[in-house]
Amino acid sequence: MVAEQLTPNLPAETGEIIGRKREIGAIKSLLSTTRLLTLTGPAGVGKTRLATHVAAHVQRDFPDGVWLVELASLQDEQLLAVAVAEALGLQEEMPQPSTESMIDYLRTKQMLLVLDNCEHLVDACALLASTLLSAAPKVRLLATSREALGVPDETPFIVPPLSFPGPDDQVTRSDVLRYDALALLAERAKNIAPEVDITSQPVAAARLCRLLDGIPLAIELAAVWLRVLSLDQIINRLGHRLHFLTRGYRTALPRHQTLRAAVEWSFELCSAQEQIMWERLSVFAGGFDLPAAEEVCSAAPLTREDVLPLLAALTEKSIVTRETCGTRPRYRILETLRQYGQDRLNKSEATPATQRRHAEYYQGLAERNRAGWFGSNQVECFTTVVPEMPNLRAALDHCLGEDLRTEEAIRIFTSLEGYWSFFGGPSEARHWIDRLLQCRQITGQERFSVLTVGTFFALMQGRIDTARPLLEECRLLADGCDRQGPKAITRFLSGRLTLMEGDYQDAVGLLERALDWYEHNTSEITEDGVLRDAFLPAFYLALSAIFAGDPRAGSWVARCREIAEAAGSPGEIALATWAAGIGCWAAGDLTQAASLFRSSLRLERSAGYRYSPAWFVETLAWVAAAQGRDVPAARLIGAADMMRRLLEVSLAGFRPYDDAHRATESLLRARLGEKDYRKAVDEGASLDFNEAIGYALQEPPEPGSAPRAAPAPALSQPVLTPREVQVAALVAEGMRNRDIAARLVISQRTAEGHVKHILDKLGFTSRAQIAAWYVNRFTPSPEG
């Protein structure tokens, strides 16, 4: 487990809770004896707050962390694994999350997963929970849902309302804090309207809490109005509504009636403009920022200038919460209140227009970042897009729903190609590809764009049987097109497939023609999707030429390095450097090959990419075996196998690499013997993704992890983790925590935690000492 994963993602307010001592004690006790504990109860009863509070207080029992997976904004159960991976911060480790890869990753972890708001995904959550219970014996699950998951060995725990006095109980001033509901009301009143003394009105306070059935959310909504109404006024108005709703919602559970009454009452106390704003905000999934709200919500009768004051007013009324993402404020409407607003919006004529504005805004955001994925701003694109992925998925859903808008969906999808290539993973991309290809309305050109991306991602994972039919349809569409761009893209994809099948001379011919077209027709390159410049044709042409023994390979390696460096793109620079290393390896210059492979690996890690490092570690294994370093080579073989498994990459689909892999395996088995070979491979496979990279770079190991080959001698105890060494290097460059967070694609809080750990381990008191220590004592060996 890498260091940053030990930092929980629980919300900061998890330490605050009123009462609930009995429930907290019971839940802690049950967590120690059951693998799956599900907190059930009606909306607003406090399941999430109780779950996160308990989770925050049992963290010491889980060495691999306590993690909150918020599912309220997730609508497609096929993306459940993606949501879990994002919550765990595994974009770096698991760019292609699936249930299988998630299980594989969690198999040896000792952690607590809090699955929050499972009710709308109950079948998918039940399947995930059931599989985890059998495959990951040290993982425990704490779920919240309006109904139990129905999994064997599940322990349901019904969360009751807060305690409140009965109608016949005599309540005095001193009794107020004995009842959790009254204590919550008193606490909220103290913060909202300090001049209102709830303890001096115990009878009225008790009556209000009874009216609200002790439901925490309903009490908090009512408390907001203490700024302008007395307790008696709130009771009179709310009491009438509860009586009315009891008759109007006979099919709802009593406590659901109560909460809906409280929500509806709060809604009607808002101004007409605030009500419209509430309804329109319900279209957002997972949160939003001010520019998004201004764009999506500003239609008649609201103007753009109205949005900020209305957002502030709804925040004051506790309808909207404010949070911080990096240095930028973001907003979120509470889920129960969002659902209410969505119900009202769905009954109005404004729904299609609001959803369309939402989809158009996020289409624009995706398109604005499209070019940046393949330039010097790759990391900035990631930090911009990742918080908005729930909204981008919602936009795709809108465009593929009843109001079918396939052109907009395709533009959003193809604009996110960089996200899925570097960070998000082909598995989610394939999900949207399948949905898009099912749409009969897409035109030939639109279908071609989707097919090229689908072929591209299938080839990334070595799924040749999946790629062939997609590519064949691309050819048919390209042949029927009077433009040359689609033909060049198809030729490129054909050349890449041919390389993977081992037909190197044919691959050179196809890719040379593709490169020639791309070098001379730059104005047409971005029209049809998958290629952004001549880099990829040059890169795969260079590799094909190396494996074919073509003497022109060096010039093509140089060309793809020129293209990458001109764009300032870290990912492409690393790939070009690696291609140069492949050339050195093929020519027998093992020392230079190792140096180039490690340079590529360091650059990819600094940018946070996860696809290419699996190949870089694999090729370092080939070099180590050729140099006679058999045990390190076998460990690298195991580490590369683990990385490909997490990436869902099939090595068998890459003929040149598979041939070299098999030759290396045979050599190591013969020299080590099967038993020692398997032992070393298993040691490498036991590493996680970042540990594998650290081992390949010959950095010092974390305590208790598998043995490392020749760690850098300049480091002495106490040992820093690979990530901490990386952070120390960035401190030495003069970076602040905010800049480190952006570079490594982690939160600023995590970056601060790393710096603190470094200071503590080394006994330093300043960042200057860290910088001096790194410069003077740690210089990673380029040759190892």
Side-chain angles (χ1 to χ4, degrees):
M1 176 62 65
V2 291
E4 68 267 29
Q5 291 174 314
L6 297 177
T7 302
N9 68 337
L10 298 174
E13 68 271 13
T14 52
E16 178 195 358
I17 196 165
I18 305 297
R20 295 291 198 192
K21 290 182 180 179
R22 186 190 67 80
E23 290 88 349
I24 291 168
I27 293 169
K28 284 183 179 179
S29 177
L30 288 170
L31 270 179
S32 67
T33 59
T34 185
R35 295 278 313 287
L36 169 59
L37 177 62
T38 303
L39 307 187
T40 65
V45 81
K47 300 184 294 292
T48 297
R49 185 170 295 178
L50 191 54
T52 55
H53 175 85
V54 171
H57 287 80
V58 297
Q59 292 185 73
R60 292 183 181 179
D61 298 333
F62 299 95
D64 292 317
V66 174
W67 299 93
L68 174 64
V69 185
E70 298 179 286
L71 300 176
S73 63
L74 185 68
Q75 299 303 314
D76 192 329
E77 64 179 22
Q78 295 184 46
L79 301 180
L80 177 59
V82 174
V84 176
E86 289 178 350
L88 291 170
L90 295 182
Q91 292 95 340
E92 293 189 354
E93 298 223 16
M94 194 181 300
Q96 287 76 240
S98 65
T99 299
E100 293 74 18
S101 61
M102 187 64 59
I103 297 299
D104 196 43
Y105 175 81
L106 295 173
R107 196 176 302 277
T108 60
K109 301 297 188 259
Q110 187 174 349
M111 64 167 60
L112 174 66
L113 288 182
V114 182
L115 302 178
D116 187 38
N117 285 302
C118 298
E119 52 272 350
H120 61 303
L121 303 168
V122 66
D123 291 337
C125 289
L127 178 61
L128 176 65
S130 180
T131 311
L132 273 175
L133 291 178
S134 60
K138 296 182 181 179
V139 172
R140 292 182 186 266
L141 299 172
L142 177 59
T144 74
S145 178
R146 296 183 196 177
E147 61 178 304
L149 301 185
V151 175
D153 299 324
E154 175 186 26
T155 301
F157 180 89
I158 300 174
V159 177
L162 297 175
S163 60
F164 55 87
D168 298 325
D169 292 336
Q170 299 296 318
V171 185
T172 66
R173 185 185 187 112
S174 61
D175 291 329
V176 168
L177 299 183
R178 287 200 303 114
Y179 297 98
D180 291 348
L182 273 65
L184 176 62
L185 179 62
E187 179 66 22
R188 293 297 177 261
K190 183 172 65 176
N191 295 331
I192 292 167
E195 70 281 1
V196 177
D197 182 7
I198 294 297
T199 61
S200 68
Q201 307 173 68
V203 175
R207 185 181 175 198
L208 177 60
C209 291
R210 280 197 301 273
L211 279 172
L212 298 174
D213 286 334
I215 297 176
L217 179 56
I219 292 170
E220 295 194 10
L221 289 174
V224 168
W225 295 101
L226 287 170
R227 291 191 182 97
V228 293
L229 299 173
S230 69
L231 267 178
D232 288 335
Q233 288 174 316
I234 292 174
I235 290 167
N236 290 336
R237 295 175 180 233
L238 186 56
H240 172 74
R241 176 160 299 281
L242 282 167
H243 176 69
F244 172 77
L245 287 174
T246 299
R247 294 177 297 166
Y249 296 93
R250 294 184 186 277
T251 59
L253 294 175
R255 288 188 183 116
H256 285 172
Q257 296 172 15
T258 300
L259 179 58
R260 183 177 179 89
V263 172
E264 187 157 335
W265 176 72
S266 284
F267 182 86
E268 292 196 359
L269 285 176
C270 291
S271 69
Q273 284 195 325
E274 289 168 355
Q275 290 176 355
I276 294 170
M277 185 73 174
W278 182 339
E279 292 174 354
R280 293 178 180 177
L281 290 177
S282 71
V283 77
F284 289 103
F288 54 92
D289 58 17
L290 178 59
E294 288 176 331
E295 189 68 26
V296 174
C297 299
S298 59
L302 303 184
T303 67
R304 183 178 293 268
E305 289 71 27
D306 294 327
V307 170
L308 180 56
L310 291 172
L311 195 58
L314 291 177
T315 303
E316 281 287 307
K317 292 177 171 66
S318 299
I319 308 302
V320 171
T321 60
R322 183 183 184 277
E323 53 195 26
T324 301
C325 181
T327 58
R328 299 173 61 190
R330 285 181 65 79
Y331 302 89
R332 183 189 298 267
I333 184 167
L334 295 174
E335 181 58 19
T336 302
L337 309 183
R338 189 190 72 81
Q339 291 176 5
Y340 177 81
Q342 195 166 63
D343 286 345
R344 290 190 60 94
L345 185 65
N346 289 341
K347 294 173 183 176
S348 73
E349 297 179 357
T351 304
T354 306
Q355 289 183 337
R356 183 179 290 272
R357 288 196 301 273
H358 177 275
E360 288 173 350
Y361 177 81
Y362 286 102
Q363 176 188 332
L365 182 143
E367 291 182 329
R368 287 193 297 276
N369 283 276
R370 179 174 184 166
W373 289 118
F374 307 105
S376 59
N377 295 325
Q378 284 172 347
V379 174
E380 288 77 3
C381 287
F382 176 72
T383 57
T384 298
V385 166
V386 165
E388 302 296 359
M389 280 309 298
N391 281 305
L392 287 160
R393 293 177 186 124
L396 281 166
D397 271 327
H398 294 330
C399 292
L400 295 175
E402 292 181 5
D403 183 20
L404 187 63
R405 302 193 301 281
T406 54
E407 181 180 354
E408 290 92 331
I410 290 169
R411 293 177 72 88
I412 296 171
F413 169 73
T414 54
S415 295
L416 292 174
E417 177 209 337
Y419 168 79
W420 284 310
S421 295
F422 291 119
F423 305 105
S427 62
E428 184 179 356
R430 290 199 310 270
H431 166 80
W432 295 111
I433 289 166
D434 291 343
R435 287 192 61 178
L436 286 163
L437 292 179
Q438 290 170 6
C439 297
R440 297 179 181 177
Q441 293 86 347
I442 62 176
T443 66
Q445 181 176 340
E446 291 170 341
R447 189 171 182 86
F448 180 82
S449 295
V450 177
L451 287 165
T452 59
V453 179
T455 307
F456 181 75
F457 283 128
L459 293 174
M460 278 184 69
Q461 293 183 286
R463 300 188 178 197
I464 290 178
D465 290 342
T466 301
R468 281 197 189 104
L470 298 176
L471 181 55
E472 183 58 32
E473 189 174 352
C474 286
R475 288 195 187 102
L476 292 174
L477 291 171
D479 289 344
C481 179
D482 58 2
R483 293 186 299 114
Q484 292 302 307
K487 294 181 176 64
I489 290 175
T490 303
R491 195 173 297 122
F492 159 72
L493 291 171
S494 299
R496 184 173 179 183
L497 174 60
T498 304
L499 164 63
M500 293 168 65
E501 293 176 319
D503 298 328
Y504 306 130
Q505 292 290 356
D506 288 347
V508 168
L510 287 165
L511 290 165
E512 187 175 10
R513 291 177 62 196
L515 176 63
D516 181 68
W517 189 89
Y518 271 84
E519 292 277 28
H520 296 94
N521 296 273
T522 56
S523 62
E524 297 184 48
I525 285 177
T526 60
E527 290 184 13
D528 294 293
V530 71
L531 290 182
R532 57 269 188 189
D533 53 35
F535 174 79
L536 285 178
F539 173 71
Y540 287 107
L541 176 58
L543 291 176
S544 300
I546 290 168
F547 286 108
D550 192 308
R552 297 171 292 174
S555 64
W556 285 322
V557 169
R559 179 59 187 141
C560 70
R561 293 187 76 164
E562 288 174 2
I563 297 169
E565 289 169 0
S569 176
E572 278 75 2
I573 292 171
L575 285 172
T577 304
W578 180 70
I582 292 288
C584 292
W585 167 77
D589 188 350
L590 301 178
T591 299
Q592 182 62 13
S595 177
L596 290 168
F597 291 159
R598 289 197 178 101
S599 295
S600 302
L601 190 54
R602 290 189 187 98
L603 183 56
E604 292 279 91
R605 182 177 67 175
S606 71
Y609 307 148
R610 280 303 179 266
Y611 177 78
S612 300
W615 300 112
F616 300 171
V617 171
E618 171 71 30
T619 52
L620 281 167
W622 307 346
V623 170
Q627 291 174 330
R629 296 187 295 116
D630 295 343
V631 171
R635 288 179 183 147
L636 288 169
I637 287 286
D641 284 344
M642 174 275 301
M643 296 169 86
R644 284 193 300 271
R645 189 169 64 251
L646 290 176
L647 292 162
E648 298 182 16
V649 168
S650 170
L651 181 62
F654 296 85
R655 173 70 181 276
Y657 312 145
D658 193 35
D659 287 348
H661 176 87
R662 291 177 183 274
T664 300
E665 276 192 316
S666 297
L667 183 66
L668 293 173
R669 279 193 166 98
R671 293 200 300 226
L672 286 173
E674 185 62 29
K675 181 179 178 181
D676 288 342
Y677 170 75
R678 180 47 54 190
K679 179 176 181 290
V681 167
D682 289 344
E683 287 172 347
S686 70
L687 305 176
D688 67 24
F689 210 104
N690 278 328
E691 287 172 340
I693 293 174
Y695 179 74
L697 294 175
Q698 298 187 340
E699 293 176 343
E702 295 186 48
S705 59
R708 297 287 194 270
L715 280 174
S716 59
Q717 294 293 334
V719 175
L720 301 187
T721 67
R723 181 63 103 184
E724 288 166 353
V725 172
Q726 189 180 12
V727 170
L730 298 178
V731 171
E733 292 179 20
M735 286 193 177
R736 298 168 296 175
N737 292 339
R738 180 176 61 190
D739 303 321
I740 292 172
R743 171 72 67 85
L744 300 183
V745 198
I746 57 178
S747 69
Q748 186 170 337
R749 184 176 65 177
T750 298
E752 291 167 354
H754 287 320
V755 173
K756 183 179 185 301
H757 292 157
I758 295 169
L759 292 169
D760 291 343
K761 286 184 177 182
L762 300 179
F764 293 159
T765 58
S766 72
R767 299 169 75 92
Q769 289 174 300
I770 295 175
W773 171 85
Y774 183 85
V775 171
N776 295 328
R777 297 193 181 188
F778 180 58
T779 305
S781 170
E783 313 302 339

